[in-house]
């Protein structure tokens, strides 16, 4: 089947909460998922990811806005008419049906004959590696196996789109990494458009073509993992994708296309600053810990910092440094080769102006 | 009842309801049934009470309240209800505490449970008959053992005793659930802080159990208030109570209006209990029972001698309950209890010849009511719990009304509206079946809701995402999962069809009669042996059916499915 496009146009959803009153879960979200694309909705708890996904599935109806699957406006279509595959966080397997019956369910509903059902179920179970499990019941399976049954059940009906709501959050860390590879492989093999919800940024970065970062009911930025990491558009994205230092800096001069800042008692010249900066104002700037270089020599151009905390993590070590005018987190990789620094040690801190981000959102 | 569905805006809700034709038609049918069999009869009762020749009037109510005899009946009903509530709750607590806190062995626990369940599944009059056999003028204890001749078995004490024995199991089941929900480590904790055992009990256990105790009291109060059978036999002329007065008003004096007004007077305290339970007790309740049942600790809150004392008391009471039933059986196989103890089957002969029609009628009514009750409870429980539609709350409350009301009120209300065209249903089996279904279906409704609340809503969404419409989802997914509730619902309707009398005594006719009514007749004709034989027969049938249902429940064991015993608890 041809992969299809999913399009959300200005969708909006408010819930009437018994205690909190009106809660706006999704605010004017527009989104386009290309045919065959794997898009992830990423954001903190309560930001509206699940609600958005459930509206695509047809479990909730938006108050305003339209939803298209392919060329079809599905806004008023019930979930059972949308031809989607949905994988739930808790799998939602039918507890009274065997693995075979669970997977066959959607085909039976379509009214297929039993020979076709047998064949297609067998094919999908092989695809997810559960051929021997046909007769087992959900409570007799491990979490990972249940997950795969849920996956098989969703794809066997050859849905137009696949939707996942935190499907891996109940698995242990190792299995999570393995299963996300499986999901991605399956999605590619079926060449099917997929929307995936998670709050785990590493998972999102590993699995997706594009990530839509959500906060408080809105999509803040959409991009590839790399774009979001390298060029976050606002402070929220910068802090949510990876880790980042937020530091106070003073604007010294603003001239055509450049800005001079004072940070840790040193002047930095940045090109292409955002609009609206004025000389003399304090602003917040952002530096990724892993972009800072640490050296044993402390001379020359380098800033100086004293190590106040050290966390050794194997392939890297995190440091908290006391600088002249504030604290800074820094990460040094490959301690095998470069050695580590001790608490109390004075180190050289290299910050190039290229690694300093000025972002909208968190000005002081 | 907490909700499994989220609140929608009213307009959304309406749209959603209208978009689902199946749901819409089910709702229309349900509301039509509820209106016909619950709202309309009750409304008629109220109208009849408060009108006089078409005009609003309080004359009827004043007339009753002015009559010292009826005032006495009201007062007696309240007094009896309060006393039964107190005694039954104390007894129930004792049993529950013993069951939960004294490390009973399996055998003992089973024995206590069995003895306690017996009164719950017995036809009415059972303890009353046994009381007469024991304490009557020729009673086994009063006459044969103590040689007393001038004691009267009739009056408040014997009614109180008999009702307490009959109803305390409700308190036991309620309190057992509550006490089991209290983590024993909390008690251990208080104990380890240096409190004495008594102090722990007084300052920790008892306060935690207060909502349960209040609930048990209210349940017993309501049960006693509604009880018609026991006072009819045991209360005697000196101790009139409302349900029997209403019955006598109608059957003895053919005064339908008087009966209606009397049952309205009965409705007031019953309604007060309903409100208290719904809006006060149930609120306190939740906080309590969410606590997970505690880990198995060596329970220190009971001293050994205390344990023995508790066990002894429970044993004594269980044995006296069993004694009642043995006595009943004995009475059913001797010529004339108290006078001629020759073994005979003649009472059973009467039961299976003269009584055959009643047996057949009762079984037909119970047999038809059973599946209908099961379906009714499952459907109402399902839509009330799972569907968000306009009037959902109202439906939930209305469906509980006939269950909460004393049977006498329901019976008289039905008599009022189904006695004239166009709804000339009096005298048919239909009306008796409807009475049972709408009166006892709510137990199944509650069970359905309890099970549904444990089923994750995403299971149904999964079905929907796979292309199933709501009908298919219900049939293929939800229905199999709530099968236990279906069995519970039909089981309770069956049992009550075999044992209830207070409402249906107004609805029987020459064409359709009931075993329970025959028992009453035989008692008034002083053919106690036959009455006893009938009772034994009912107990046996009910036992067999309960056994079968328990077996089913075990086969279809689902998360959240309750035991049969808990379903009977009320
Ligand atoms: N059915 C509902 N009724 C009322 N409020 C709701 C409902 N569903 C969601 N909300 C509210 O809408 C907001 C967004 O919820 P949503 O489930 O979409 O968040 P989420 O991003 O999926 O969070 P999480 O990562 O915790 O799953 C929350 O504030 C939530 O409380
Ligand atoms: Mg979510």
């Amino acid at each position: 089947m041809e992969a299809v496009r999913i399009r959300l146009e200005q969708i909006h959803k408010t819930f009437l909460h018994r205690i909190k009153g009106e809660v706006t879960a999704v605010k004017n979200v527009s989104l386009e998922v290309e045919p065959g694309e794997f898009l992830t909705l990423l954001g903190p708890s309560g930001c509206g990811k699940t609600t958005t996904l459930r509206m695509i599935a047809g479990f909730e109806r938006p108050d305003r806005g339209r939803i298209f699957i392919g060329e079809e406006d599905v806004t008023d279509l019930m979930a059972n008419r949308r031809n989607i595959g949905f994988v739930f966080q808790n799998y939602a397997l039918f507890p009274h049906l065997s693995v075979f019956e669970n997977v066959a369910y959607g085909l039976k509903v379509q009214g297929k004959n039993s020979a076709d059902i047998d064949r297609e179920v067998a094919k999908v179970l092989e695809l997810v590696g559960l051929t021997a499990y046909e007769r087992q019941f959900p409570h007799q399976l491990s979490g990972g196996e249940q997950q795969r049954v849920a996956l098989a059940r969703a794809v066997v009906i050859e849905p137009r789109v696949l939707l996942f709501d935190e499907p891996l959050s109940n698995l242990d860390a190792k299995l999570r990494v393995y299963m996300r590879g499986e999901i991605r492989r399956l999605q590619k093999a079926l060449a099917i458009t997929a929307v995936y919800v998670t709050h785990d940024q590493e998972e999102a970065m590993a699995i997706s073509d594009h990530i839509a970062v959500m906060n408080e009911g809105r999509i803040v930025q959409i991009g590839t993992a790399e774009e979001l990491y390298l060029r976050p558009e606002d402070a929220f994205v910068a802090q949510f994708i990876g880790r980042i230092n937020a530091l106070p800096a003073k604007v010294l001069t603003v001239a055509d296309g450049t800005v001079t800042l004072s940070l840790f008692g040193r002047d930095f010249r940045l090109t292409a600053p955002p609009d609206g900066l004025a000389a003399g104002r304090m602003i917040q700037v952002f530096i990724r810990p892993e972009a800072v270089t640490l050296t044993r020599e402390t001379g020359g151009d380098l800033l100086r910092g004293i190590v106040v905390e050290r966390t050794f993590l194997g392939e890297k070590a995190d440091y908290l440094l006391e600088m002249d005018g504030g604290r800074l987190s820094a990460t040094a990789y490959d301690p095998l080769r470069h050695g580590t620094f001790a608490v109390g040690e004075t180190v050289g801190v290299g910050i190039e102006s290229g690694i300093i981000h000025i972002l909208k959102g968190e000005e002081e | 009842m907490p909700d499994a569905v989220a609140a929608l805006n009213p307009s959304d809700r309406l749209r959603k309801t209208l978009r689902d034709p199946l749901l819409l038609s089910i709702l229309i049918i349900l509301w039509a049934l509820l209106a016909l069999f619950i709202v309309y009869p009750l409304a008629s009762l109220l109208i009849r009470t408060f009108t006089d020749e078409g005009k609003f009037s309080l004359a009827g109510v004043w007339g009753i309240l002015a009559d010292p005899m009826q005032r006495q009946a009201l007062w007696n009903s309240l007094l009896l209800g309060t006393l039964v509530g107190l005694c039954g709750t104390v007894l129930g607590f004792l049993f529950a505490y013993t069951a939960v806190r004294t490390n009973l062995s399996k055998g003992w626990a089973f024995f206590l449970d069995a003895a306690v369940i017996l009164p719950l599944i017995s036809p009415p009059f059972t303890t009353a008959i046994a009381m007469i056999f024991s304490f009557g003028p020729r009673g086994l204890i009063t006459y044969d053992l103590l040689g007393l001749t001038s004691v009267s078995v009739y009056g408040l004490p014997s009614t109180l005793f008999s009702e307490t024995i009959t109803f305390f199991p409700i308190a036991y089941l309620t309190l057992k659930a509550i006490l089991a929900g209290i983590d024993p480590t909390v008690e251990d904790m208080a104990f380890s802080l240096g409190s004495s055992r008594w102090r722990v009990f007084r300052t920790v256990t008892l306060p935690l159990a207060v909502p349960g105790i209040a609930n048990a009291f209210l349940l017993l109060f309501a049960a006693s208030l509604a009880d018609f059978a026991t006072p009819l036999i045991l209360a005697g002329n000196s101790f009139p109570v409302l349900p029997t007065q209403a019955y006598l008003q109608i059957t003895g004096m053919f005064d339908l209006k008087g009966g209606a007004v009397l049952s309205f007077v009965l409705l007031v305290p019953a309604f007060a209990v309903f409100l208290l339970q719904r809006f006060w007790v149930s609120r306190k309740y939740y906080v309590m029972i969410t606590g997970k049942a505690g880990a198995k600790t060596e329970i220190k809150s009971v001293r050994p001698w205390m344990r023995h004392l508790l066990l002894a008391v429970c044993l004594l009471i269980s044995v006296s309950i069993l004694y009642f039933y043995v006595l009943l059986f004995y009475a059913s196989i001797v010529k004339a209890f108290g006078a001629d103890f020759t073994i005979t089957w003649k009472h059973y002969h009467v039961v299976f010849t003269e009584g055959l029609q009643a047996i057949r009628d009762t079984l037909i009514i119970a047999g038809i009511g059973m599946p209908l009750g099961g379906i009714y409870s499952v459907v109402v429980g399902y839509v009330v719990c799972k569907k968000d539609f306009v009037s959902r709350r109202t439906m939930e409350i209305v469906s509980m009304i006939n269950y909460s009301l004393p049977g006498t009120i329901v019976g008289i209300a039905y008599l009022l509206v189904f006695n004239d065209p166009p709804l000339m249903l009096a005298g048919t089996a239909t009306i008796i079946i409807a009475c049972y279904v709408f009166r006892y279906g709510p137990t199944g409704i509650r069970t359905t809701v309890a099970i549904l609340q444990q089923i994750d809503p995403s299971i149904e969404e999964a079905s929907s995402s796979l292309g199933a419409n709501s009908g298919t989802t219900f049939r293929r997914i939800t229905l199999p999962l709530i099968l236990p509730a279906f069995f519970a619902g039909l089981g309770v309707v069956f049992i009550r069809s075999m044992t209830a009398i207070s409402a249906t005594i107004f609805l029987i006719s020459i064409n359709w009669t009931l075993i329970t009514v025959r028992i009453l007749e035989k008692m008034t004709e002083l053919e106690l042996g036959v009455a006893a034989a009938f009772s034994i027969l009912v107990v046996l049938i009910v036992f067999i059916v309960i056994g079968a249902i328990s077996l089913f429940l075990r086969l279809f064991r689902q998360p959240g499915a309750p035991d049969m015993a808990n379903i009977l608890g009320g």
Side-chain angles (χ1 to χ4, degrees):
Chain A
M1 196 196 288
E2 277 291 279
V4 296
R5 183 191 312 275
I6 302 172
R7 207 164 81 235
L8 310 186
E9 276 181 6
Q10 299 284 327
I11 59 167
H12 195 88
K13 180 73 190 176
T14 303
F15 289 107
L16 202 61
H17 197 281
R18 287 235 150 72
I19 299 148
K20 291 188 279 186
E22 289 212 339
V23 179
T24 304
V26 175
K27 297 173 191 154
N28 297 320
V29 162
S30 294
L31 179 68
E32 205 155 311
V33 191
E34 295 297 322
E37 179 184 337
F38 196 111
L39 179 116
T40 296
L41 297 174
L42 174 68
S45 185
C47 71
K49 308 178 294 287
T50 298
T51 307
T52 307
L53 195 73
R54 288 168 59 82
M55 286 192 287
I56 301 176
F59 299 142
E60 309 281 356
R61 195 182 182 285
D63 305 327
R64 292 200 296 275
R66 320 265 356 141
I67 298 169
F68 296 86
I69 296 182
E71 292 311 307
E72 188 187 2
D73 182 344
V74 297
T75 319
D76 296 315
L77 219 53
M78 307 245 276
N80 58 341
R81 297 286 168 70
R82 292 194 186 188
N83 194 12
I84 44 140
F86 201 103
V87 181
F88 293 86
Q89 177 167 12
N90 56 1
Y91 319 137
L93 298 180
F94 307 129
H96 59 304
L97 301 182
S98 68
V99 168
F100 178 88
E101 291 166 322
N102 260 282
V103 178
Y105 184 84
L107 300 173
K108 280 201 186 128
V109 169
Q110 288 174 1
K112 298 218 161 157
N113 69 43
S114 64
D116 285 349
I117 293 180
D118 285 353
R119 205 185 53 246
E120 284 172 43
V121 171
K123 202 173 81 188
V124 182
L125 285 180
E126 197 189 328
L127 205 61
V128 297
L130 283 180
T131 306
Y133 292 78
E134 285 196 351
R135 282 173 204 291
Q136 312 244 26
F137 281 83
H139 67 267
Q140 299 166 323
L141 302 178
S142 74
E145 288 158 356
Q146 292 183 19
Q147 169 67 75
R148 279 183 275 167
V149 177
L151 204 58
R153 188 179 64 178
V155 300
V156 76
I157 57 167
E158 301 188 351
R160 289 190 291 179
V161 298
L162 264 180
L163 307 173
F164 300 87
D165 188 7
E166 309 212 21
L168 304 180
S169 57
N170 289 341
L171 304 179
D172 69 58
K174 276 238 165 71
L175 200 54
R176 217 156 41 219
V177 173
Y178 173 74
M179 279 307 296
R180 77 187 184 210
E182 291 286 286
I183 288 176
R184 179 62 161 153
R185 185 178 60 77
L186 195 68
Q187 181 262 343
K188 275 196 172 140
L190 300 170
I192 191 169
T193 316
V195 182
Y196 188 97
V197 162
T198 182
H199 60 257
D200 179 343
Q201 52 112 352
E202 184 193 308
E203 191 173 297
M205 292 170 96
I207 205 171
S208 333
D209 294 316
H210 285 98
I211 299 172
V213 181
M214 290 189 72
N215 189 25
E216 293 178 352
R218 294 179 208 282
I219 293 186
V220 202
Q221 188 177 356
I222 304 183
T224 62
E226 220 172 311
E227 284 164 359
L228 295 175
Y229 179 78
L230 293 176
R231 289 184 293 283
E233 276 171 16
D234 76 357
F236 176 80
V237 177
Q239 278 165 329
F240 204 75
I241 305 283
R243 296 187 311 138
I244 205 155
N245 287 290
L247 303 161
K250 187 170 184 182
V251 179
L252 297 177
T253 61
V254 185
D256 50 333
T258 62
V259 61
T260 319
L261 301 171
S262 166
L263 177 66
F264 297 135
R266 184 72 55 91
D267 293 356
F268 293 91
R269 246 171 99 92
L270 275 66
T271 51
D275 298 337
L277 293 180
R281 292 227 348 237
M282 289 301 291
I283 60 166
Q284 219 168 20
V285 297
F286 297 87
I287 297 175
R288 297 229 181 256
E290 56 274 27
V292 176
T293 52
L294 299 181
T295 55
R296 236 168 262 288
E297 307 83 74
T298 53
D301 242 5
L302 295 170
L303 291 158
R304 281 149 60 105
I306 301 165
V307 176
V308 291
E309 261 176 51
R310 184 187 78 154
T311 312
F312 182 75
L313 293 167
E315 84 269 20
K316 64 178 182 180
D318 288 336
Y319 297 97
L320 186 63
L321 305 166
E322 187 72 58
M323 309 286 291
D324 174 15
R327 289 189 163 192
L328 178 73
S329 292
T331 301
Y333 280 86
D334 204 358
L336 271 182
R337 178 132 22 118
H338 302 296
T340 58
F341 305 100
V343 172
E345 204 175 328
T346 302
V347 293
V349 180
I351 296 175
E352 283 163 31
S353 40
I355 68 167
I356 301 175
H357 298 274
I358 305 173
L359 300 170
K360 59 178 186 242
E362 305 250 325
E363 277 175 45
E364 280 187 358
Chain B
M1 200 180 291
D3 308 303
V5 285
L8 292 173
N9 316 326
S11 66
D12 256 12
R13 201 180 295 156
L14 191 61
R15 190 168 42 223
K16 217 172 168 174
T17 313
L18 292 176
R19 274 200 304 171
D20 193 340
L22 183 66
L23 175 64
L24 193 64
S25 30
I26 289 177
L27 290 180
I28 290 172
I29 294 172
L30 281 183
W31 266 124
L33 289 172
L34 292 173
L36 182 60
F37 289 110
I38 296 179
V39 180
Y40 174 50
L42 193 61
S44 299
L45 182 85
L46 293 180
I47 289 170
R48 187 67 81 97
T49 307
F50 288 107
T51 53
D52 203 10
E53 289 165 2
K55 283 195 296 288
F56 175 79
S57 150
L58 288 171
V61 178
W62 286 134
I64 293 295
L65 292 179
D67 181 341
M69 175 80 162
Q70 311 294 24
R71 256 208 326 264
Q72 187 63 39
L74 171 62
W75 166 245
N76 286 349
S77 273
L78 295 177
L79 175 70
L80 182 64
T82 310
L83 290 176
V84 170
L86 289 175
C87 299
T89 306
V90 169
L91 207 56
F93 190 89
L94 213 67
F95 265 71
Y97 195 75
T98 309
V100 172
R101 285 285 186 271
T102 54
N103 280 331
L104 286 184
S105 70
K106 262 223 157 73
W108 279 114
F110 179 81
F111 176 75
L112 286 191
D113 266 351
V116 165
I117 295 304
L118 262 177
L120 281 180
I121 59 165
S122 299
F125 313 117
T126 318
T127 43
I129 304 175
M131 283 291 285
I132 291 179
F133 287 150
S134 297
F135 303 105
R138 294 231 136 217
L140 202 58
I141 293 178
T142 38
Y143 182 77
D144 294 298
L145 206 64
L146 303 175
L148 301 172
T149 45
S150 60
V151 285
S152 167
V153 67
Y154 305 102
L156 173 62
S158 62
T159 314
L160 171 61
F161 181 79
S162 182
E163 283 195 355
T164 304
I165 291 293
T166 309
F167 296 130
F168 93 91
I170 301 174
Y172 164 70
L173 293 172
T174 312
L175 289 167
K176 194 172 146 187
I178 279 282
L179 287 176
I182 298 174
D183 192 338
T185 52
V186 173
E187 293 173 5
D188 288 352
M189 178 65 202
F191 195 47
S192 75
L193 292 174
S195 300
S196 69
R197 287 181 171 91
W198 166 240
R199 200 187 161 89
V200 171
F201 179 79
R202 208 162 36 85
T203 57
V204 179
T205 319
L206 213 49
L208 283 174
V210 159
I213 292 174
N215 194 28
F217 175 82
L218 289 177
L219 284 170
L220 292 185
F221 179 81
S224 161
L225 199 65
D227 189 24
F228 157 81
T230 314
L232 191 65
I233 303 301
L234 287 181
N237 294 333
S238 60
F239 194 76
V241 293
L242 282 175
T244 48
Q245 286 304 106
Y247 171 71
L248 295 175
Q249 200 77 21
I250 288 176
T251 53
M253 310 188 192
F254 305 101
D255 176 8
L256 200 54
K257 159 114 188 177
V261 175
L262 271 173
S263 67
F264 169 77
V265 176
L266 184 60
L267 190 135
V268 176
F271 190 62
V273 168
F274 176 73
L275 289 181
L276 269 176
Q277 270 193 308
R278 206 181 155 82
F279 297 105
W280 180 63
V281 175
S282 68
R283 198 158 297 165
K284 307 245 163 195
Y285 226 65
Y286 264 122
V287 200
M288 274 296 315
I289 50 177
T290 43
K292 220 171 149 15
K296 278 233 184 315
T297 64
E298 187 54 39
I299 291 151
K300 304 172 203 74
S301 43
V302 182
R303 274 173 203 268
W305 65 263
M306 190 61 185
R307 179 167 184 266
H308 289 126
L309 186 67
L310 283 170
L311 264 177
V313 173
C314 291
L315 203 63
L316 185 71
I317 290 160
S318 306
V319 166
S320 40
I321 292 174
L322 291 179
Y323 152 80
F324 274 8
Y325 283 81
V326 171
L327 199 62
L328 196 68
F329 177 68
Y330 186 50
S332 78
I333 57 163
V334 296
K335 272 214 173 105
F337 193 90
D340 183 351
F341 289 100
T342 337
I343 302 288
T344 171
W345 294 111
K346 75 168 189 189
H347 303 312
Y348 286 94
H349 184 74
V350 175
V351 165
F352 285 107
T353 51
E354 194 190 313
L356 207 57
Q357 193 214 342
I359 297 176
R360 203 203 57 201
D361 288 355
T362 307
L363 285 176
I364 290 176
I365 285 168
I368 297 176
M370 190 156 80
L372 292 180
I375 293 169
Y376 169 73
S377 358
V378 164
V379 172
V380 174
Y382 178 79
V383 296
V384 156
C385 182
K386 282 282 164 178
K387 297 290 172 185
D388 199 10
F389 55 90
V390 185
S391 75
R392 184 168 74 95
R393 293 246 107 162
T394 324
M395 179 179 283
E396 188 220 321
I397 294 174
V398 168
S399 71
M400 289 290 151
I401 290 179
N402 275 14
Y403 173 75
S404 320
L405 291 182
T408 311
I409 299 180
V410 178
I412 292 176
Y414 272 33
L415 194 61
L416 282 177
V417 298
F418 296 116
N419 221 359
D420 304 302
L423 295 165
M424 192 50 202
L425 292 174
T428 64
T430 313
I431 193 61
I432 302 181
I433 294 171
C435 177
Y436 286 138
V437 167
F438 291 96
R439 195 158 144 65
Y440 297 111
T443 317
I445 296 179
R446 286 211 223 150
T447 316
T448 309
V449 169
I451 291 180
L452 283 174
Q453 278 168 352
Q454 310 221 358
I455 302 177
D456 198 296
S458 57
I459 285 185
E460 287 170 45
E461 289 173 350
S463 168
S464 163
S465 78
L466 293 167
N469 60 27
S470 61
T472 312
T473 303
F474 181 73
R475 197 158 40 81
R476 288 243 173 103
I477 304 299
T478 318
L479 200 56
L481 291 175
I482 51 182
L483 217 53
F486 177 72
F487 283 120
L490 62 77
V492 169
V493 170
F494 181 88
I495 295 166
R496 295 306 167 211
S497 302
M498 296 296 300
T499 60
I501 187 167
S502 58
T504 34
I505 192 158
F506 297 101
L507 305 174
I508 50 142
S509 61
I510 322 168
N511 300 326
W512 292 94
T513 183
L514 296 168
I515 297 181
T516 47
V517 178
R518 295 310 299 264
I519 298 179
L520 177 60
E521 282 166 15
K522 289 293 163 197
M523 299 208 45
T524 42
E525 291 161 15
L526 288 179
E527 290 191 46
L528 296 181
V530 180
F534 265 124
S535 302
I536 292 290
L537 179 73
V538 170
V539 173
L540 278 181
I541 295 176
V542 168
F543 242 109
I544 291 168
V545 171
I546 286 191
I549 292 173
S550 304
L551 203 69
F552 268 121
L553 282 178
R554 214 160 301 154
L555 283 180
F556 293 94
R557 191 103 196 115
Q558 299 287 356
D563 286 340
M564 200 60 211
N566 296 344
I567 294 164
L568 288 167

